[in-house]
mmCIF file of all heavy atoms in Angstrom:
data_model
loop_
_atom_site.group_PDB
_atom_site.id
_atom_site.type_symbol
_atom_site.label_atom_id
_atom_site.label_comp_id
_atom_site.label_asym_id
_atom_site.label_seq_id
_atom_site.Cartn_x
_atom_site.Cartn_y
_atom_site.Cartn_z
ATOM 1 N N SER T 13 6.576 -5.451 9.370
ATOM 2 C CA SER T 13 6.160 -4.620 10.502
ATOM 3 C C SER T 13 5.287 -5.416 11.470
ATOM 4 O O SER T 13 5.382 -5.244 12.694
ATOM 5 C CB SER T 13 5.398 -3.393 10.001
ATOM 6 O OG SER T 13 4.215 -3.775 9.316
ATOM 7 N N LEU T 14 4.442 -6.297 10.948
ATOM 8 C CA LEU T 14 3.594 -7.122 11.801
ATOM 9 C C LEU T 14 4.422 -8.140 12.583
ATOM 10 O O LEU T 14 4.129 -8.429 13.746
ATOM 11 C CB LEU T 14 2.543 -7.841 10.957
ATOM 12 C CG LEU T 14 1.577 -6.945 10.165
ATOM 13 C CD1 LEU T 14 0.606 -7.801 9.360
ATOM 14 C CD2 LEU T 14 0.819 -6.015 11.100
ATOM 15 N N ILE T 15 5.455 -8.676 11.916
ATOM 16 C CA ILE T 15 6.330 -9.636 12.590
ATOM 17 C C ILE T 15 7.059 -8.958 13.746
ATOM 18 O O ILE T 15 7.159 -9.503 14.849
ATOM 19 C CB ILE T 15 7.341 -10.229 11.583
ATOM 20 C CG1 ILE T 15 6.605 -11.013 10.494
ATOM 21 C CG2 ILE T 15 8.357 -11.120 12.291
ATOM 22 C CD1 ILE T 15 7.509 -11.503 9.377
ATOM 23 N N LEU T 16 7.554 -7.749 13.484
ATOM 24 C CA LEU T 16 8.296 -7.029 14.518
ATOM 25 C C LEU T 16 7.391 -6.629 15.679
ATOM 26 O O LEU T 16 7.697 -6.892 16.847
ATOM 27 C CB LEU T 16 8.956 -5.789 13.916
ATOM 28 C CG LEU T 16 10.197 -6.030 13.044
ATOM 29 C CD1 LEU T 16 10.563 -4.756 12.295
ATOM 30 C CD2 LEU T 16 11.367 -6.487 13.904
ATOM 31 N N GLU T 17 6.267 -5.982 15.351
ATOM 32 C CA GLU T 17 5.403 -5.443 16.404
ATOM 33 C C GLU T 17 4.679 -6.542 17.181
ATOM 34 O O GLU T 17 4.515 -6.452 18.395
ATOM 35 C CB GLU T 17 4.393 -4.472 15.796
ATOM 36 C CG GLU T 17 5.031 -3.202 15.255
ATOM 37 C CD GLU T 17 4.029 -2.248 14.668
ATOM 38 O OE1 GLU T 17 3.012 -2.701 14.114
ATOM 39 O OE2 GLU T 17 4.256 -1.023 14.747
ATOM 40 N N GLY T 18 4.234 -7.581 16.473
ATOM 41 C CA GLY T 18 3.455 -8.609 17.137
ATOM 42 C C GLY T 18 4.253 -9.784 17.662
ATOM 43 O O GLY T 18 3.916 -10.350 18.705
ATOM 44 N N GLY T 19 5.354 -10.148 16.942
ATOM 45 C CA GLY T 19 6.073 -11.355 17.307
ATOM 46 C C GLY T 19 7.391 -11.152 18.014
ATOM 47 O O GLY T 19 7.799 -11.983 18.831
ATOM 48 N N ILE T 20 8.092 -10.065 17.713
ATOM 49 C CA ILE T 20 9.433 -9.863 18.272
ATOM 50 C C ILE T 20 9.429 -8.791 19.367
ATOM 51 O O ILE T 20 9.805 -9.044 20.504
ATOM 52 C CB ILE T 20 10.434 -9.501 17.148
ATOM 53 C CG1 ILE T 20 10.540 -10.654 16.152
ATOM 54 C CG2 ILE T 20 11.803 -9.176 17.735
ATOM 55 C CD1 ILE T 20 11.435 -10.378 14.954
ATOM 56 N N ILE T 21 9.014 -7.587 19.030
ATOM 57 C CA ILE T 21 8.953 -6.519 20.037
ATOM 58 C C ILE T 21 7.773 -6.737 20.978
ATOM 59 O O ILE T 21 7.850 -6.429 22.162
ATOM 60 C CB ILE T 21 8.858 -5.144 19.344
ATOM 61 C CG1 ILE T 21 10.084 -4.912 18.450
ATOM 62 C CG2 ILE T 21 8.734 -4.029 20.375
ATOM 63 C CD1 ILE T 21 10.034 -3.633 17.651
ATOM 64 N N GLN T 22 6.687 -7.288 20.434
ATOM 65 C CA GLN T 22 5.491 -7.635 21.209
ATOM 66 C C GLN T 22 4.888 -6.420 21.916
ATOM 67 O O GLN T 22 4.980 -6.260 23.136
ATOM 68 C CB GLN T 22 5.806 -8.753 22.211
ATOM 69 C CG GLN T 22 6.232 -10.056 21.548
ATOM 70 C CD GLN T 22 6.540 -11.164 22.537
ATOM 71 O OE1 GLN T 22 6.717 -10.926 23.721
ATOM 72 N NE2 GLN T 22 6.610 -12.401 22.054
ATOM 73 N N LEU T 23 4.271 -5.563 21.100
ATOM 74 C CA LEU T 23 3.562 -4.408 21.650
ATOM 75 C C LEU T 23 2.420 -4.869 22.550
ATOM 76 O O LEU T 23 1.788 -5.900 22.294
ATOM 77 C CB LEU T 23 3.004 -3.545 20.516
ATOM 78 C CG LEU T 23 3.926 -2.471 19.929
ATOM 79 C CD1 LEU T 23 5.115 -3.104 19.216
ATOM 80 C CD2 LEU T 23 3.148 -1.594 18.945
ATOM 81 N N SER T 24 2.152 -4.089 23.573
ATOM 82 C CA SER T 24 1.025 -4.385 24.449
ATOM 83 C C SER T 24 -0.277 -3.993 23.746
ATOM 84 O O SER T 24 -0.276 -3.286 22.738
ATOM 85 C CB SER T 24 1.162 -3.615 25.759
ATOM 86 O OG SER T 24 1.034 -2.214 25.522
ATOM 87 N N GLN T 25 -1.401 -4.469 24.298
ATOM 88 C CA GLN T 25 -2.703 -4.129 23.723
ATOM 89 C C GLN T 25 -2.925 -2.615 23.742
ATOM 90 O O GLN T 25 -3.494 -2.044 22.812
ATOM 91 C CB GLN T 25 -3.817 -4.840 24.508
ATOM 92 C CG GLN T 25 -3.855 -6.340 24.324
ATOM 93 C CD GLN T 25 -4.057 -6.742 22.878
ATOM 94 O OE1 GLN T 25 -4.875 -6.181 22.172
ATOM 95 N NE2 GLN T 25 -3.283 -7.723 22.427
ATOM 96 N N MET T 26 -2.477 -1.951 24.803
ATOM 97 C CA MET T 26 -2.614 -0.504 24.877
ATOM 98 C C MET T 26 -1.793 0.173 23.780
ATOM 99 O O MET T 26 -2.257 1.117 23.138
ATOM 100 C CB MET T 26 -2.167 0.008 26.248
ATOM 101 C CG MET T 26 -2.368 1.514 26.427
ATOM 102 S SD MET T 26 -1.677 2.167 27.962
ATOM 103 C CE MET T 26 0.087 2.089 27.594
ATOM 104 N N GLN T 27 -0.587 -0.319 23.535
ATOM 105 C CA GLN T 27 0.262 0.268 22.508
ATOM 106 C C GLN T 27 -0.315 0.040 21.114
ATOM 107 O O GLN T 27 -0.253 0.926 20.262
ATOM 108 C CB GLN T 27 1.675 -0.309 22.617
ATOM 109 C CG GLN T 27 2.437 0.203 23.830
ATOM 110 C CD GLN T 27 3.724 -0.548 24.073
ATOM 111 O OE1 GLN T 27 3.871 -1.719 23.721
ATOM 112 N NE2 GLN T 27 4.688 0.115 24.713
ATOM 113 N N PHE T 28 -0.903 -1.140 20.889
ATOM 114 C CA PHE T 28 -1.567 -1.383 19.609
ATOM 115 C C PHE T 28 -2.742 -0.425 19.432
ATOM 116 O O PHE T 28 -2.981 0.098 18.337
ATOM 117 C CB PHE T 28 -2.065 -2.833 19.524
ATOM 118 C CG PHE T 28 -1.043 -3.801 18.998
ATOM 119 C CD1 PHE T 28 -0.615 -4.866 19.766
ATOM 120 C CD2 PHE T 28 -0.512 -3.654 17.724
ATOM 121 C CE1 PHE T 28 0.326 -5.768 19.281
ATOM 122 C CE2 PHE T 28 0.434 -4.539 17.225
ATOM 123 C CZ PHE T 28 0.855 -5.604 18.007
ATOM 124 N N ARG T 82 14.872 -1.533 19.540
ATOM 125 C CA ARG T 82 13.559 -2.089 19.230
ATOM 126 C C ARG T 82 12.522 -1.518 20.180
ATOM 127 O O ARG T 82 11.865 -2.226 20.929
ATOM 128 C CB ARG T 82 13.601 -3.612 19.275
ATOM 129 C CG ARG T 82 14.446 -4.193 18.150
ATOM 130 C CD ARG T 82 14.504 -5.700 18.144
ATOM 131 N NE ARG T 82 15.104 -6.180 16.909
ATOM 132 C CZ ARG T 82 15.302 -7.465 16.618
ATOM 133 N NH1 ARG T 82 14.967 -8.392 17.499
ATOM 134 N NH2 ARG T 82 15.833 -7.814 15.473
ATOM 135 N N ASN T 83 12.409 -0.209 20.114
ATOM 136 C CA ASN T 83 11.470 0.516 20.961
ATOM 137 C C ASN T 83 10.083 0.502 20.325
ATOM 138 O O ASN T 83 9.933 0.874 19.158
ATOM 139 C CB ASN T 83 11.958 1.955 21.138
ATOM 140 C CG ASN T 83 11.132 2.717 22.141
ATOM 141 O OD1 ASN T 83 9.960 2.987 21.915
ATOM 142 N ND2 ASN T 83 11.746 3.073 23.265
ATOM 143 N N PRO T 84 9.044 0.075 21.046
ATOM 144 C CA PRO T 84 7.699 0.016 20.451
ATOM 145 C C PRO T 84 7.188 1.361 19.977
ATOM 146 O O PRO T 84 6.469 1.440 18.974
ATOM 147 C CB PRO T 84 6.839 -0.539 21.593
ATOM 148 C CG PRO T 84 7.625 -0.323 22.841
ATOM 149 C CD PRO T 84 9.057 -0.405 22.446
ATOM 150 N N TRP T 85 7.583 2.447 20.655
ATOM 151 C CA TRP T 85 7.111 3.777 20.251
ATOM 152 C C TRP T 85 7.751 4.232 18.948
ATOM 153 O O TRP T 85 7.154 5.005 18.197
ATOM 154 C CB TRP T 85 7.375 4.781 21.373
ATOM 155 C CG TRP T 85 6.700 4.373 22.644
ATOM 156 C CD1 TRP T 85 7.296 3.895 23.772
ATOM 157 C CD2 TRP T 85 5.293 4.357 22.912
ATOM 158 N NE1 TRP T 85 6.361 3.600 24.735
ATOM 159 C CE2 TRP T 85 5.120 3.872 24.236
ATOM 160 C CE3 TRP T 85 4.169 4.720 22.168
ATOM 161 C CZ2 TRP T 85 3.860 3.729 24.809
ATOM 162 C CZ3 TRP T 85 2.906 4.578 22.746
ATOM 163 C CH2 TRP T 85 2.768 4.093 24.048
ATOM 164 N N THR T 87 8.357 2.123 16.456
ATOM 165 C CA THR T 87 7.577 1.446 15.419
ATOM 166 C C THR T 87 6.231 2.130 15.215
ATOM 167 O O THR T 87 5.723 2.205 14.090
ATOM 168 C CB THR T 87 7.370 -0.040 15.768
ATOM 169 O OG1 THR T 87 6.550 -0.152 16.935
ATOM 170 C CG2 THR T 87 8.698 -0.738 16.025
ATOM 171 N N VAL T 152 8.531 -16.279 11.891
ATOM 172 C CA VAL T 152 9.564 -15.623 12.691
ATOM 173 C C VAL T 152 8.913 -14.941 13.891
ATOM 174 O O VAL T 152 7.922 -14.226 13.756
ATOM 175 C CB VAL T 152 10.339 -14.582 11.849
ATOM 176 C CG1 VAL T 152 11.310 -13.796 12.724
ATOM 177 C CG2 VAL T 152 11.092 -15.267 10.723
ATOM 178 N N ASP T 153 9.452 -15.185 15.068
ATOM 179 C CA ASP T 153 8.976 -14.516 16.278
ATOM 180 C C ASP T 153 10.149 -14.324 17.238
ATOM 181 O O ASP T 153 11.312 -14.521 16.853
ATOM 182 C CB ASP T 153 7.840 -15.299 16.942
ATOM 183 C CG ASP T 153 8.216 -16.745 17.239
ATOM 184 O OD1 ASP T 153 9.429 -17.027 17.380
ATOM 185 O OD2 ASP T 153 7.314 -17.586 17.339
ATOM 186 N N LYS T 154 9.858 -13.940 18.458
ATOM 187 C CA LYS T 154 10.914 -13.651 19.424
ATOM 188 C C LYS T 154 11.757 -14.882 19.739
ATOM 189 O O LYS T 154 12.959 -14.776 20.017
ATOM 190 C CB LYS T 154 10.287 -13.111 20.714
ATOM 191 C CG LYS T 154 11.283 -12.456 21.657
ATOM 192 C CD LYS T 154 10.572 -11.736 22.784
ATOM 193 C CE LYS T 154 11.575 -10.979 23.650
ATOM 194 N NZ LYS T 154 10.879 -10.193 24.714
ATOM 195 N N ALA T 155 11.149 -16.076 19.657
ATOM 196 C CA ALA T 155 11.850 -17.310 20.017
ATOM 197 C C ALA T 155 12.915 -17.694 18.987
ATOM 198 O O ALA T 155 13.973 -18.228 19.333
ATOM 199 C CB ALA T 155 10.858 -18.449 20.190
ATOM 200 N N ASN T 156 12.656 -17.439 17.714
ATOM 201 C CA ASN T 156 13.616 -17.832 16.671
ATOM 202 C C ASN T 156 14.213 -16.642 15.934
ATOM 203 O O ASN T 156 14.710 -16.766 14.822
ATOM 204 C CB ASN T 156 12.969 -18.803 15.675
ATOM 205 C CG ASN T 156 11.709 -18.207 15.052
ATOM 206 O OD1 ASN T 156 11.472 -17.006 15.111
ATOM 207 N ND2 ASN T 156 10.885 -19.062 14.458
ATOM 208 N N ASP T 157 14.141 -15.478 16.547
ATOM 209 C CA ASP T 157 14.749 -14.273 15.974
ATOM 210 C C ASP T 157 16.273 -14.377 16.044
ATOM 211 O O ASP T 157 16.845 -14.517 17.127
ATOM 212 C CB ASP T 157 14.253 -13.043 16.745
ATOM 213 C CG ASP T 157 14.931 -11.769 16.272
ATOM 214 O OD1 ASP T 157 15.200 -11.659 15.072
ATOM 215 O OD2 ASP T 157 15.185 -10.899 17.121
#
Side-chain angles (χ1 to χ4, degrees):
S13 62
L14 300 179
I15 297 174
L16 285 168
E17 292 180 328
I20 298 176
I21 300 176
Q22 297 180 345
L23 273 66
S24 67
Q25 290 301 316
M26 184 187 72
Q27 288 170 332
F28 273 120
R82 292 181 169 179
N83 187 293
W85 302 108
T87 66
V152 174
D153 55 25
K154 194 170 185 176
N156 56 16
D157 175 36

